[in-house]
Amino acid sequence: MSLDDRKLDVLRAIVEDYVATQEPVGSKALVERHQLGVSPATVRNDMAVLEEEGYIRQPHTSAGRVPTDRGYRLFVDRLSRVKPLSPAERRAIERFLAGALDLDDVVHRTVRLLAQLTRQVAVVQYPSLTRSSVRHLELVPISTTRLMLVMIADTGRVEQRLVELPAPVQDDAITDLRRMVNEKLVGKRLSETPPLVQALVEEVAPDDRATMATLASVLLEALVERHDERIALAGRANLTRGGLLDFQGSLRPILEALEEEVILLKLLGEADADTLRVRIGDENEIDNLRSTSVVSTGYGPGATIVGGLGVLGPTRMDYPGTIATVRAVARYVGDLLGNN
């Protein structure tokens, strides 16, 4: 059944009131709070149609109505109004993130900021090395037979590896090795580096091949072997802010899911910069999160996506405000990574 504009206005009003008050919404309250231009009897008839179509439901404890997952979905897709951040909010985000000292600080500031602004659980994925490029490679002599390899990605992530050399190597030779690996690999995506690393072994003088072969094996480990993805989480206490109808009465399954990094990565894994995803209730693939909504997107410098971020909370969520905040924070983090 196609809903007319008046019924859509009633649904919008129910969603907005329920999100704001945490109380089931009745027809009398709708007429008093919103300029619907019709009588309470007409609103009751419209609510009956919305309930029949599965957009709202009646909790057993109240005569009022609350939105269903389907109702929230229609609200997000067709009815929600854009709620842009104020200039003051944008300046506050920019100042807070601009004060970060390094990548860890960027991630931790971002996840705290998202949790504070949205009053939900915030999740931020560290920039993934599989989506990164090489910014610089440093070889730090520890002794004549031992080096520290430091790989710095364009996102600011740093990987360190110890290299045990097969024979003593002098400082000038290390300088040559450092120059060669940087000339060959800087600016390249990590996924593109294996053949380039192998070529380095063939390009050095025969006397240096054993050293370069050892270095190459460690380079491959640092550049392309599977890395544990890292996740930052903040705002779990925000889950307790809700009303009795949130989360179907139990937080335990949600808290258990939030302990699993694999689950959190799955929430963010498909994020990209052009798509902000809103998954509501049963749209979530993870059983323990079917009473929640997740708003997520990708972030990164320019058009390059290096990770995902988002928030998780009850389906009774301020979707317009949450969407605007997630978008804005993702854009600022991407600009920060691009500028540094």
Side-chain angles (χ1 to χ4, degrees):
M1 176 178 174
S2 176
L3 299 179
D4 59 36
D5 288 346
R6 191 184 68 221
K7 292 181 181 64
L8 292 175
D9 285 342
V10 170
L11 176 60
R12 179 192 292 114
I14 291 171
V15 172
E16 291 175 349
D17 276 12
Y18 182 56
V19 168
T21 67
Q22 303 183 26
E23 296 291 338
V25 183
S27 57
K28 183 180 178 182
L30 288 177
V31 172
E32 290 174 351
R33 294 174 189 160
H34 300 272
Q35 303 299 317
L36 297 175
V38 294
S39 68
T42 301
V43 172
R44 282 195 294 274
N45 290 335
D46 289 341
M47 290 173 72
V49 173
L50 290 169
E51 187 170 7
E52 184 180 344
E53 293 299 312
Y55 294 107
I56 60 176
R57 65 183 177 86
Q58 182 180 23
H60 61 83
T61 57
S62 169
R65 303 299 192 273
V66 301
T68 63
D69 290 355
R70 189 180 184 199
Y72 285 124
R73 181 80 266 166
L74 183 59
F75 176 80
V76 169
D77 290 345
R78 291 183 55 189
L79 305 178
S80 59
R81 300 179 178 93
V82 175
K83 188 189 289 184
L85 299 183
S86 69
E89 289 173 322
R90 292 182 180 277
R91 285 194 299 271
I93 292 172
E94 191 171 10
R95 280 198 302 269
F96 186 69
L97 294 179
L101 301 174
D102 54 26
L103 181 64
D104 277 335
D105 201 13
V106 170
V107 171
H108 288 127
R109 283 173 179 254
T110 300
V111 77
R112 295 202 319 271
L113 183 66
L114 273 175
Q116 290 166 5
L117 292 176
T118 65
R119 305 183 81 182
Q120 310 291 356
V121 180
V123 186
V124 177
Q125 177 188 14
Y126 274 75
S128 172
L129 284 176
T130 59
R131 305 178 192 178
S132 303
S133 300
V134 180
R135 175 180 288 176
H136 182 70
L137 288 155
E138 188 57 62
L139 301 177
V140 182
I142 297 174
S143 71
T144 57
T145 58
R146 180 177 291 180
L147 299 175
M148 178 66 74
L149 168 67
V150 182
M151 191 282 295
I152 304 172
D154 59 345
T155 56
R157 273 195 68 166
V158 177
E159 292 289 311
Q160 300 182 60
R161 296 289 188 279
L162 198 60
V163 185
E164 299 285 354
L165 300 173
V169 178
Q170 301 304 312
D171 287 350
D172 55 349
I174 292 173
T175 300
D176 290 339
L177 290 173
R178 182 187 300 115
R179 174 185 53 77
M180 289 184 67
V181 296
N182 276 284
E183 287 177 354
K184 179 70 73 173
L185 301 175
V186 166
K188 300 294 191 292
R189 291 290 294 268
L190 271 64
S191 57
E192 302 170 352
T193 56
L196 302 175
V197 173
Q198 298 290 357
L200 283 168
V201 180
E202 304 300 323
E203 292 172 7
V204 297
D207 290 347
D208 296 327
R209 281 187 185 161
T211 298
M212 183 59 87
T214 301
L215 178 59
S217 67
V218 178
L219 271 171
L220 289 172
E221 177 188 331
L223 294 170
V224 298
E225 286 192 2
R226 187 182 181 281
H227 298 275
D228 291 333
E229 298 290 1
R230 296 168 61 194
I231 288 285
L233 194 68
R236 273 172 286 204
N238 287 331
L239 293 174
T240 63
R241 295 179 184 274
L244 293 175
L245 296 178
D246 289 344
F247 309 124
Q248 301 170 8
S250 176
L251 284 175
R252 181 182 292 275
I254 300 166
L255 293 172
E256 289 176 349
L258 294 177
E259 293 297 322
E260 300 292 333
E261 286 204 348
V262 172
I263 290 177
L264 298 177
L265 285 168
K266 192 172 184 180
L267 288 179
L268 304 176
E270 300 176 11
D272 61 65
D274 298 325
T275 304
L276 186 139
R277 301 183 64 196
V278 181
R279 279 161 292 181
I280 300 170
D282 284 339
E283 294 171 357
N284 286 299
E285 299 174 8
I286 299 152
D287 288 341
N288 284 1
L289 299 181
R290 292 189 188 277
S291 63
T292 70
S293 286
V294 179
V295 179
S296 62
T297 190
Y299 73 89
T304 303
I305 300 306
V306 297
L309 59 79
V311 300
L312 175 147
T315 54
R316 185 189 55 78
M317 178 185 289
D318 173 17
Y319 290 100
T322 300
I323 289 168
T325 300
V326 168
R327 276 190 178 135
V329 171
R331 184 171 65 252
Y332 280 115
V333 174
D335 290 346
L336 190 61
L337 294 178
N339 293 334
N340 293 279

